[in-house]
C-alpha cells in the first residue's frame, strides 16, 4: 500500500464528518478530499519529529466533538513518546484515532540522502546507513498497553473497512484507537 492509497481511503472513511487530519509524514494532502477549512494540518517546516500525536491530543481537547485523526510514519510515532501519549489519552478520556504508516525505515532520512546525493553510492546501491527501523516494533501492543482499540492492516482491501470500524469505535465508545498500516 502507498501513502496515497491511505489518504484516499481516509477521505472516504471521514466523508460527511466534522473531522481534522494531522499529518506528520503520514497522509499526504494531494489525495485527500477535504471540503472545509481547518481540516488538515502538517508538521512545522522547521522540524518537530514527534509533533503529530501530542498536537492531536491538544486539538481533541480543544474540540471534543470533532473527529481528530493523527497520521504519522513509524519513526514519527516512536519520537512522539507514544507510551506517554497513550497513557494521557486513556487517563483524560481523549478519543483519538491514530494511524501509523509503517515502512520499517526512516523515510525522511532516505529522501534527504537521495535529495542531496541522487547519484551517490547510497542511491545506486540502495544501501543507506541509519535508515532501517527493522525489526519493527509491534505498535499495536504499545497502544494496547493503554487499552486502545487496535488493528493491523497489511492488505489494501482491508484498509477502508478497518478505518470505518476504528472511527466507529472512537466516536461511539469514546476511547482511543490505533491502526498500524503496512506501506511500501
Amino acid at each position: 500500500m502507498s501513502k496515497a492509497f491511505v489518504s484516499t481511503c481516509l477521505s472516504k472513511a471521514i466523508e460527511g464528518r466534522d473531522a481534522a487530519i494531522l499529518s506528520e509524514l503520514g497522509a499526504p494532502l494531494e489525495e485527500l478530499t477535504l471540503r472545509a477549512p481547518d481540516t488538515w494540518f502538517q508538521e512545522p517546516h522547521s522540524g518537530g519529529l514527534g509533533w503529530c500525536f501530542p498536537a492531536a491530543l491538544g486539538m481533541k481537547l480543544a474540540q471534543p466533538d470533532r473527529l481528530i485523526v493523527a497520521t504519522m510514519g513509524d519513526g514519527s510515532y516512536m519520537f512522539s513518546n507514544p507510551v506517554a501519549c497513550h497513557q494521557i489519552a486513556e487517563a483524560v478520556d481523549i478519543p483519538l484515532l491514530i494511524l501509523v504508516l509503517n515502512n520499517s525505515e526512516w523515510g525522511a532520512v532516505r529522501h534527504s540522502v537521495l535529495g542531496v546525493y541522487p547519484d551517490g553510492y547510497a542511491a545506486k546501491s540502495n544501501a543507506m546507513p541509519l535508515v532501517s527501523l527493522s525489526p519493527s516494533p509491534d505498535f499495536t501492543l504499545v497502544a494496547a498497553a493503554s487499552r486502545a482499540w487496535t488493528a493491523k492492516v497489511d492488505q489494501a482491501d482491508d484498509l477502508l473497512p478497518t478505518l470505518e470500524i476504528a472511527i466507529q469505535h472512537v466516536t461511539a465508545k469514546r476511547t482511543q484507537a490505533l491502526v498500524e498500516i503496512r506501506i511500501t
Side-chain angles (χ1 to χ4, degrees), residues 1-71:
M1 263 180 291
S2 68
K3 288 182 179 184
F5 181 76
V6 172
S7 286
T8 300
C9 287
L10 183 56
S11 282
K12 291 176 185 174
I14 66 167
E15 192 172 342
R17 297 180 181 275
D18 180 20
I21 299 168
L22 291 86
S23 177
E24 180 179 341
L25 305 170
L29 177 61
E30 296 78 16
E31 286 78 16
L32 291 170
T33 303
L34 304 172
R35 296 183 177 11
D38 292 335
T39 55
W40 188 80
F41 301 85
Q42 182 178 338
E43 75 276 359
H45 292 291
S46 60
L49 195 54
W51 159 89
C52 189
F53 195 165
L57 290 169
M59 183 178 282
K60 183 64 179 177
L61 284 173
Q63 301 175 13
D65 296 327
R66 194 171 198 198
L67 173 63
I68 306 297
V69 183
T71 69

Side-chain angles (χ1 to χ4, degrees), residues 2-180:
S2 68
K3 288 182 179 184
F5 181 76
V6 172
S7 286
T8 300
C9 287
L10 183 56
S11 282
K12 291 176 185 174
I14 66 167
E15 192 172 342
R17 297 180 181 275
D18 180 20
I21 299 168
L22 291 86
S23 177
E24 180 179 341
L25 305 170
L29 177 61
E30 296 78 16
E31 286 78 16
L32 291 170
T33 303
L34 304 172
R35 296 183 177 11
D38 292 335
T39 55
W40 188 80
F41 301 85
Q42 182 178 338
E43 75 276 359
H45 292 291
S46 60
L49 195 54
W51 159 89
C52 189
F53 195 165
L57 290 169
M59 183 178 282
K60 183 64 179 177
L61 284 173
Q63 301 175 13
D65 296 327
R66 194 171 198 198
L67 173 63
I68 306 297
V69 183
T71 69
M72 63 204 84
D74 46 348
S76 297
Y77 177 73
M78 288 192 289
F79 261 81
S80 72
N81 197 352
V83 172
C85 287
H86 285 296
Q87 190 277 329
I88 290 166
E90 181 183 25
V92 187
D93 297 320
I94 303 174
L96 182 67
L97 176 55
I98 302 106
L99 306 182
V100 178
L101 285 67
N102 187 346
N103 62 356
S104 296
E105 75 170 25
W106 294 107
V109 174
R110 173 181 292 282
H111 295 299
S112 293
V113 169
L114 293 174
V116 176
Y117 303 106
D119 299 317
Y121 173 79
K124 290 177 183 173
S125 67
N126 198 29
M128 296 187 191
L130 306 175
V131 169
S132 177
L133 290 177
S134 191
S136 181
D138 186 335
F139 300 124
T140 63
L141 294 177
V142 175
S146 289
R147 284 144 297 276
W149 180 92
T150 65
K152 281 188 182 184
V153 177
D154 295 336
Q155 302 298 317
D157 290 343
D158 297 334
L159 183 56
L160 184 57
T162 302
L163 290 175
E164 290 169 344
I165 293 167
I167 290 169
Q168 178 62 26
H169 181 87
V170 168
T171 56
K173 297 202 178 194
R174 308 274 311 149
T175 64
Q176 60 182 313
L178 178 139
V179 179
E180 182 177 343

